[in-house]
Every structure is written in C-alpha cells, then in structure tokens.
Amino acid sequence: MIDVLVVDDDFRVAEINAAYVGKVPGFRVAARAHNAAQALATLERHPIDLVLLDHFLPDETGLSLVRRMRQQGHHTDVIMVTSASDVATVQAAMRHGALHYLVKPFTFAGLRAKLDSYATLRRTVDRAAGTVGGGPAAQDQEQVDRIFAALRTGLPSRHSVPTAELIRDVLHTADHPLSAHEVADRTGLSRSTAQRYLRLLEQSGRLRLTLRYGETGRPEHRYAWMV
C-alpha cells in the first residue's frame, strides 16, 4: 500500500481529496494536515510515501514547505494539488521535485490518473532497482529510459509507453494544436486509439485541450503538448 498525506487548509476539501484517494486501489490515507507545521510534524512521526500538497497554506506556501522537507531530509514524493496555475509556480514545483501538478477544481478521474501514473512510476523504479548496476550498460540505459518515460508520459498501468511517446513526439514537433484525426494520421494509430491516449494524457495534465468551432456541428477537440 502507498501511504498518502493529504495537506489542504480547507477541512472539507481535505476530506474530499482523502475520500478520492481511498477509492484508488493500492493507496490509503495515512494522515491529513491543514497547515505546513502539521504536515512536517506528520512526516517526522509517520512513514509517508506521497504528499498531496496544496500551495496556499495559512503558515507558508506549499513550495516553501517542499524546500523545508528536502532540507530536513524528507524525500517523500509530492503531487501538487492546488488552484495556483501560474507558470512561475508550476515551474518552481517542477524544480523542487513535484512529480505531478493537478489544478483545482478537478474530478476523481483526474486525481486517479495522477495516482495511477505515480504507482506505475514506483513499480518501474522498483523493477529497475533490482537490475541497474547488476547487468551490462545497455540494460542499465534501458531501465533508466523506462523511468524517464514513465515520468514524461504519466501513464497508468496497462498502457503502452511507446505509444504515448509516439503521440508526444508528434505533438511536440507540430506548429499548432492537432485533432485526434490528425494525430492518428501522423502516427499511424487508429483514431480510437489516438483518442483514448489523448484523453488520458489530457487528464494527466500533459496536454492542453482547446476547442475549434466550425459553422455547424460539435466543436473539434485539438491538443497541444504542455510539458
């Protein structure tokens, strides 16, 4: 089980987030905290694997808390869960080692995508820990590549990292957002597969979704790579 600390100054939001976590297999809420001081005290007392961290706390910011965690030797993984969506805050979170960034308000599906991808990353790292350093260099590089691929795509289990990487490369080199039909054409994937991965990557925060309205009919969904 992955033990989670939910940190949010709003008691009701903390309870909702905790309830969401409790619905995801393999995760359990070990504790809740409503300010930075409580969060640090919890980390001192209990082994915590993952912190779901709000940025706006009453005694200091979430990013400041992450800095203090690292200074005090707490290497617990962090997923930011906050309404702060400005570029400077997002970039600072990345630099301080946040694995994912989920913007409020979000759905259960959005949080579950982040938690599933985190679980996949942990499994990838655990498997690599048994082989890196114990085999030839080619195998070491392969394991390292898998870890970074898991970080880049944020995929939950049962999904193909190479497929997600193919879509990432196509969107990354495009000079404008692409539709699912265009992604399918450029990757050689079926449209249904392209749509499924695009939806998953958008939920995990890797893609930006925009709508293009025509003269008639439903708006066309268009995707651009964000990270």
Side-chain angles (χ1 to χ4, degrees):
M1 295 295 288
I2 296 173
D3 287 321
V4 180
L5 169 61
V6 176
V7 183
D8 199 293
D9 67 322
D10 188 315
F11 284 72
R12 181 174 175 273
V13 171
E15 287 301 317
I16 292 173
N17 291 350
Y20 280 170
V21 171
K23 293 168 63 177
V24 181
F27 290 82
R28 64 187 174 194
V29 176
R32 300 166 184 79
H34 304 293
N35 56 52
Q38 290 178 357
L40 276 176
T42 300
L43 291 171
E44 292 288 349
R45 295 193 305 265
H46 304 289
I48 299 294
D49 299 304
L50 175 67
V51 179
L52 293 187
L53 180 61
D54 188 16
H55 181 58
F56 298 113
L57 300 174
D59 48 352
E60 63 180 290
T61 67
L63 291 181
S64 174
L65 173 59
V66 175
R67 283 195 295 269
R68 288 214 291 148
M69 286 169 54
R70 302 315 184 213
Q71 290 168 357
Q72 296 181 21
H74 299 295
H75 301 295
T76 308
D77 293 323
V78 173
I79 294 178
M80 298 296 294
V81 180
T82 177
S83 59
S85 58
D86 59 284
V87 173
T89 302
V90 174
Q91 288 180 328
M94 293 173 62
R95 294 188 184 108
H96 286 85
L99 295 179
H100 291 299
Y101 200 106
L102 186 61
V103 178
K104 296 178 181 177
F106 54 86
T107 63
F108 168 65
L111 179 59
R112 176 163 188 165
K114 294 287 189 289
L115 295 180
D116 282 346
S117 67
Y118 173 71
T120 298
L121 175 62
R122 282 178 61 99
R123 287 193 294 270
T124 302
V125 171
D126 288 345
R127 286 196 296 267
T131 56
V132 170
Q139 185 177 16
D140 292 353
Q141 183 63 55
E142 180 182 353
Q143 296 291 349
V144 171
D145 288 344
R146 287 175 183 171
I147 293 172
F148 274 84
L151 277 169
R152 284 195 303 268
T153 59
L155 281 178
S157 58
R158 302 182 302 280
H159 289 82
S160 166
V161 169
T163 299
E165 289 278 273
L166 178 62
I167 291 174
R168 181 187 71 88
D169 290 343
V170 165
L171 292 174
H172 213 49
T173 56
D175 58 3
H176 61 274
L178 302 178
S179 67
H181 179 73
E182 290 171 322
V183 171
D185 282 346
R186 297 189 186 194
T187 59
L189 300 170
S190 69
R191 185 169 181 177
S192 62
T193 297
Q195 285 178 322
R196 178 161 54 90
Y197 275 80
L198 288 167
R199 190 178 305 114
L200 180 65
L201 290 166
E202 190 267 327
Q203 288 178 346
S204 69
R206 293 298 192 248
L207 303 183
R208 181 178 67 253
L209 170 64
T210 57
L211 300 178
R212 187 172 74 177
Y213 291 87
E215 294 181 359
T216 59
R218 300 173 61 184
E220 182 181 53
H221 289 198
R222 303 185 70 81
Y223 300 89
W225 194 264
M226 291 183 60
V227 181

